[in-house]
Amino acid sequence: DSGVTQTPKHLITATGQRVTLRCSPRSGDLSVYWYQQSLDQGLQFLIQYYNGEERAKGNILERFSAQQFPDLHSELNLSSLELGDSALYFCASSPTGQNEKLFFGSGTQLSVL
Amino acid sequence: AQSVTQLDSHVSVSEGTPVLLRCNYSSSYSPSLFWYVQHPNKGLQLLLKYTSAATLVKGINGFEAEFKKSETSFHLTKPSAHMSDAAEYFCVVSDHDSNYQLIWGAGTKLIIKP
């Protein structure tokens, strides 16, 4: 168990809908990362937050947004969902976000029908 | 700019034989290098990490990797493969110039034949 909790584990929804994925980092970790993993695109970095502030942005679509709250948990919001958004979404956390080990959650499997 | 190339998308070995997963990187600064493993239907887990100490890094589950600056390589090895090693392996680089952003390789799927 990595100590990173993601909910829900599975999510099935329809095109055009909006969903929210939730992540609780390990106790004491200040940095949260979001990744998308799909068969055709592999593992893609979406966004990183550090202590409530956005630190780095990767291949995140404009339809997607994220935030990190004062208690350090994070949410990834996906809107106007398309079939191609079906993927496994991982959250990871680390103590400071610099050159260190990432602890990954077990992911949220999103299926857009 | 940093980049990571995992030279094989799939590697197949017999149980009990050595494993070699190849990774080349480019970095303008002294990099930190990582190998992560993802078992089927699981999250990713750190195998090992290099951060400019010893060039031969030992990780979990009997894996090790050697940092070779002259060859810009960080290949992952294991003397004897076990069925439980079947997984996908990712090589990752990070450096000061990129504000420590992690650059991920495309992954290598390791298949173990009985």
Side-chain angles (χ1 to χ4, degrees):
Chain A
D1 182 13
S2 67
V4 177
T5 304
Q6 288 188 249
T7 57
K9 291 194 183 307
H10 303 276
L11 198 49
I12 301 174
T13 188
T15 54
Q17 294 298 304
R18 173 190 168 93
V19 297
T20 298
L21 312 185
R22 194 176 193 279
C23 171
S24 294
R26 286 189 330 149
S27 177
D29 283 359
L30 298 178
S31 200
V32 169
Y33 307 73
W34 285 99
Y35 286 86
Q36 179 195 59
Q37 187 176 40
S38 61
L39 284 174
D40 55 343
Q41 296 203 22
L43 190 66
Q44 299 281 325
F45 167 66
L46 296 178
I47 198 163
Q48 177 196 357
Y49 280 83
Y50 173 74
N51 204 20
E53 300 289 325
E54 182 183 304
R55 171 161 279 193
K57 204 175 237 189
N59 301 323
I60 189 165
L61 300 171
E62 286 193 11
R63 300 184 285 109
F64 296 0
S65 64
Q67 58 184 131
Q68 186 179 28
F69 294 88
D71 68 352
L72 301 177
H73 91 270
S74 178
E75 291 181 357
L76 178 67
N77 299 296
L78 315 176
S79 62
S80 303
L81 285 167
E82 302 175 359
L83 296 177
D85 297 327
S86 295
L88 191 53
Y89 291 83
F90 285 110
C91 169
S93 73
S94 68
T96 69
Q98 290 189 0
N99 271 351
E100 60 200 349
K101 179 178 180 177
L102 263 59
F103 295 85
F104 280 82
S106 55
T108 293
Q109 180 67 59
L110 174 66
S111 299
V112 182
L113 305 178
Chain B
Q2 297 169 298
S3 67
V4 177
T5 302
Q6 291 186 243
L7 296 158
D8 306 293
S9 60
H10 293 78
V11 169
S12 181
V13 303
S14 297
E15 191 175 17
T17 65
V19 175
L20 171 64
L21 305 184
R22 299 182 293 165
C23 173
N24 285 103
Y25 70 92
S26 69
S27 173
S28 58
Y29 199 72
S30 294
S32 290
L33 293 155
F34 309 78
W35 276 97
Y36 281 83
V37 60
Q38 184 180 23
H39 287 94
N41 303 313
K42 295 284 177 73
L44 289 91
Q45 179 185 22
L46 182 70
L47 267 182
L48 49 81
K49 171 184 172 183
Y50 166 79
T51 53
S52 75
T55 56
L56 184 62
V57 183
K58 292 190 184 300
I60 61 172
N61 301 335
F63 283 93
E64 61 183 38
E66 186 171 8
F67 172 69
K68 291 188 176 180
K69 188 172 182 177
S70 60
E71 298 176 11
T72 60
S73 70
F74 190 58
H75 300 336
L76 182 70
T77 61
K78 183 172 180 176
S80 175
H82 191 273
M83 294 301 291
S84 61
D85 295 327
E88 188 153 22
Y89 293 79
F90 294 90
C91 182
V92 187
V93 66
S94 164
D95 70 27
H96 175 272
D97 277 358
S98 66
N99 198 26
Y100 304 110
Q101 282 194 52
L102 299 176
I103 306 300
W104 291 74
T108 298
K109 185 161 281 189
L110 178 61
I111 299 159
I112 311 296
K113 297 178 289 187

